[in-house]
């Protein structure tokens, strides 16, 4: 297989885009990536989306977006792996170029979550969990994460307020990202008074839904000297039902996919300059850091308390706001992460630039850890 | 890229499986393919499905099916391209093996369509069409095909009864296929008195929905001497909205994908011994035959009238019942086609065996021709 490079990136702001259709959001991000790459025609389009069928009434996004993007006729398909859809689309697009079958591949993640009343969106998102053994009993997606967070606090002796650094870091960074949904900082006092969502998860432990689209244009690295390269790419799974896991405090699929990506890159956690992780909930950020080797068991929250996750810290995370404050348009999120990591490695992150960033890792999670896709990028 | 072979196949009967869950259907087909191949562990699973989110309340089928199949931890993802989902999953799984990234890949298409009342299923299937410019105006999926069929009859001067051979052939073959939904033959009289569905489409012009799952196990051809090989694989798209096409009587995406598959295989239509085409509606069978070069414009129906599509004819189609009579569990259909073509090439088609079959083509269509995936297999 040949090495793959990211030649173009594009994104829309994450907002409540009530006036822009899903297809228009996808086209806007795709067009931006094509323009950034200086490419007009592509061989294939991989679209990622989770909820368009239920919330927008539209499936079959591959040909639809290809057509509206002026690429009628090309190969196109949609991938879905709940909130891990976009990372999964990146993975397949990467394989298509790496195999030599395709020269230019566009990947677009797009999602509209604010089209319907909140109750319907919550029900749609719950389909990421096990319908027969979890959802049937009335638990929501945030409820599942609350159970994991409560167990973590009990097992490792943390208080709720110890999780604050994840939210504070994300908001501080989002304040300087024009594409973020929440462009303001918060302090510990604000975090502490966040209202309950599903105990112990409060407002600032949960990422907001939002509408948005992000896109990447991939080519063979040999054809794009100087472009950011994909040096690690892996995907792994775990049980969808959280109760079926041997250890609910261990993201086995993160360990597997990160381990494989590290091996491909010939690197370890100590070589990663920034990590765009999947902070859909603050507990997921902590577990991701642990399973990927940045901290020992129970040490993820400690990294935050010690200042290690901020820009300039040992392992900066959520450098443009993360899911928590940039926003979480679920089927697009994994591509926002990759776009942001690419901008960092290009030195185009503006006020949010991580100095001297050479190697970035992204990790996109579907369900409560059932699908985990890890990529490592290098400039 | 290296050549890919089909080492194992599996399928469940197409039925109204009210007593079997979607995940259980998927597992049954997957297990059958693994047993047929003599393989226990795979590197990745590609699942195809269209409607599980709306009709079963379950998304995120990649990790779910992997887990229930005893493959916890492997890479897994779901693909969706409306009724072309399964062909698309085959295409991505094929690329994964061809690239050298993976050695053993399992592909499972699974669908349950009889779980909810018919009205909900019809609404779910309509999401394959353009929500904003077609469905919004009240047209159903069968309605779109009726418009195309009416135009075809007008343009080329056919009567409704001229389409009968597609249904008669499919039913005649399904009668001897234990996995088919409708295991009985029909005659011209029965066809003629089929009740209206959406004029001019009557009962016997439209394929039935159904529940089922089918699966393939792919490996590198060099590791499976004697196994059926994939010698052509291509996917192309067209507009989702039928009214946006230059010619609604021409399946441009079929021409593109078949043309590419022929070129890869170094073959033409005259070399194909049997063709598992996408006869979701009899008009689609006619258009597919034309766009793939088996007949000139307007000649697809003539092939039926001349006896060319029957077993022993010039280009046998729907050799195990096709979508029309084997049944059309939409997200699984493309894999049923590939399983059936493989059985034919292995000489395992029993009473339905096409004598001397060496080369088979399959074509899976999503929407009214917006996604078309073509594969050519050889023994």
């Amino acid at each position: 297989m040949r090495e793959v490079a990211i030649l173009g990136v594009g994104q829309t702001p994450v907002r409540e885009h009530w006036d822009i259709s899903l297809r228009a959001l996808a086209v806007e991000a795709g067009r931006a990536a094509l323009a950034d790459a200086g490419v007009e025609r592509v061989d294939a389009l991989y679209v990622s989306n989770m909820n368009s069928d239920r919330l927008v009434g539209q499936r079959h996004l591959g040909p639809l977006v290809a057509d509206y993007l002026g690429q009628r006729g090309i190969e196109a398909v949609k991938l879905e792996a709940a909130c891990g859809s976009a990372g999964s689309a990146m993975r397949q697009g990467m394989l298509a170029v790496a195999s030599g079958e395709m020269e230019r591949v566009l990947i677009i993640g797009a999602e509209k979550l604010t089209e319907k009343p909140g109750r319907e969106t919550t029900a749609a998102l719950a389909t990421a969990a096990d319908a027969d053994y979890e959802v049937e009993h009335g638990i929501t997606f945030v409820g599942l994460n609350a159970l994991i967070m409560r167990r973590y606090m009990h097992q490792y002796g943390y208080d709720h307020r110890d999780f604050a650094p994840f939210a504070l870091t994300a908001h501080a960074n989002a304040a300087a990202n024009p594409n973020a949904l929440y462009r303001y900082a918060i302090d510990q006092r604000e975090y502490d008074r966040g209202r309950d969502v599903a105990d112990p998860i409060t407002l600032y432990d949960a990422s907001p839904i939002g509408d948005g689209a992000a896109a990447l244009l991939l080519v063979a690295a040999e054809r794009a000297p100087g472009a950011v390269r994909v040096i690690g790419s892996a995907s792994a799974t775990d049980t969808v039902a959280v109760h079926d896991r041997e250890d609910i405090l261990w993201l086995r699929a993160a360990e597997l996919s990160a381990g494989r990506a590290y091996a491909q890159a010939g690197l370890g956690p100590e070589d990663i300059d920034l990590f765009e992780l999947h902070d859909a909930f603050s507990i997921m950020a902590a577990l991701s850091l642990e399973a990927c080797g940045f901290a020992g068991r129970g040490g993820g929250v400690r990294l935050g308390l010690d200042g290690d996750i901020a820009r300039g810290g040992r392992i900066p995370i959520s450098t443009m706001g993360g899911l928590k404050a940039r926003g979480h348009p679920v089927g697009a999120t994994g591509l926002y992460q990759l776009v942001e990591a690419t901008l960092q490695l290009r030195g185009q992150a503006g006020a949010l630039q991580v100095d001297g960033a050479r190697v970035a890792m992204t990790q996109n999670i579907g369900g409560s850890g059932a699908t985990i896709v890890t990529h490592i990028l290098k400039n």
Side-chain angles (χ1 to χ4, degrees), chain A:
Chain A
M1 295 211 306
R2 55 187 184 173
E3 198 168 57
V4 173
I6 298 172
L7 193 59
V9 298
Q11 61 181 316
T12 75
V14 178
R15 299 285 185 269
E16 293 191 12
H17 285 299
W18 295 353
D19 55 339
I20 309 179
S21 70
L22 177 65
R23 70 184 72 177
L25 282 174
V27 165
E28 185 180 329
R31 224 188 273 279
L34 290 172
D36 186 45
V39 163
E40 288 194 353
R41 185 84 182 163
V42 299
D43 298 321
L45 170 67
Y46 290 78
V47 177
S48 68
N49 169 274
M50 178 178 173
N51 295 291
S52 76
D53 31 55
R54 273 172 81 141
L55 299 181
V56 183
Q58 181 70 65
R59 238 182 286 263
H60 213 179
L61 294 177
L64 187 81
V65 175
D67 180 24
Y68 277 75
L69 199 59
Q71 307 282 328
R72 194 178 289 183
I74 62 165
E75 176 163 0
V77 72
K78 187 201 80 177
L79 288 98
E80 185 269 314
C83 303
S85 297
S88 299
M90 166 67 175
R91 169 101 180 110
Q92 292 308 311
M94 207 273 317
L95 286 178
V97 175
S99 70
E101 175 84 352
M102 300 178 194
E103 292 303 328
R104 296 186 183 89
V105 166
L106 185 62
I107 309 168
I108 303 179
E111 193 85 48
K112 283 207 80 173
L113 296 175
T114 68
E115 196 103 330
K116 290 276 172 67
R119 191 174 19 179
E120 288 187 44
T121 306
T122 298
L125 292 172
T127 59
D130 190 314
D132 293 354
Y133 297 101
E134 293 180 323
V135 184
E136 180 69 18
H137 302 284
I139 197 161
T140 62
F141 203 66
V142 58
L144 284 167
N145 280 273
L147 293 175
I148 299 172
M149 184 170 175
R150 174 62 72 197
R151 177 71 206 177
Y152 187 96
M153 291 164 66
H154 170 78
Q155 179 117 351
Y156 300 124
Y158 287 110
D159 291 328
H160 176 260
R161 69 191 326 266
D162 296 329
F163 289 81
F166 294 117
L168 270 58
T169 301
H171 273 272
N173 291 337
N177 175 6
N179 292 309
L181 180 60
Y182 294 152
R183 299 175 299 287
Y184 55 86
I186 62 166
D187 58 17
Q188 181 80 41
R189 186 157 160 274
E190 180 67 25
Y191 178 83
D192 289 342
R193 71 182 183 191
R195 62 180 165 74
D196 277 345
V197 176
D199 181 48
I201 289 179
T202 70
L203 188 65
Y204 295 109
D205 293 308
S207 60
I209 63 167
D211 308 326
L216 290 184
L217 192 285
L218 300 182
V219 297
E222 68 211 22
R223 294 175 182 245
V228 169
R229 289 169 297 131
V230 184
I231 60 170
S233 171
S235 181
T237 57
D238 200 346
T239 69
V240 171
V242 172
H243 61 252
D244 278 338
R245 300 193 189 147
E246 283 175 38
D247 180 354
I248 70 165
L249 297 185
W250 189 249
L251 293 177
R252 172 76 175 144
E255 180 190 11
L256 285 172
S257 68
R260 225 173 288 151
Y262 286 143
Q264 290 166 9
L267 300 173
E270 63 283 2
D271 302 306
I272 306 298
D273 296 321
L274 64 113
F275 182 23
E276 292 302 332
L277 49 65
H278 195 92
D279 55 337
F281 300 97
S282 46
I283 180 64
M284 278 294 133
L287 295 180
S288 174
L289 285 164
E290 295 171 22
C292 295
F294 295 101
R297 279 177 188 254
V301 168
R302 173 57 49 199
L303 282 183
L305 294 170
D306 290 346
D308 289 333
I309 61 173
R311 195 166 57 259
R314 190 154 68 82
I315 180 65
I317 68 168
S318 310
T319 66
M320 296 202 183
L323 283 61
K324 177 66 201 85
R326 176 241 295 125
H328 183 23
V330 293
T333 289
L335 279 156
Y336 274 99
Q337 296 175 316
L338 286 154
V339 167
E340 291 162 355
T342 302
L343 293 176
Q344 286 284 7
L345 295 179
R346 287 177 174 180
Q348 296 175 340
L352 298 171
Q353 185 64 48
V354 173
D355 286 340
R358 296 286 316 282
V359 180
M361 187 156 96
T362 65
Q363 185 164 82
N364 190 201
I365 301 183
S368 306
T371 295
I372 303 190
V373 190
T374 306
H375 283 94
I376 301 178
L377 312 181
K378 186 173 183 181
N379 197 3

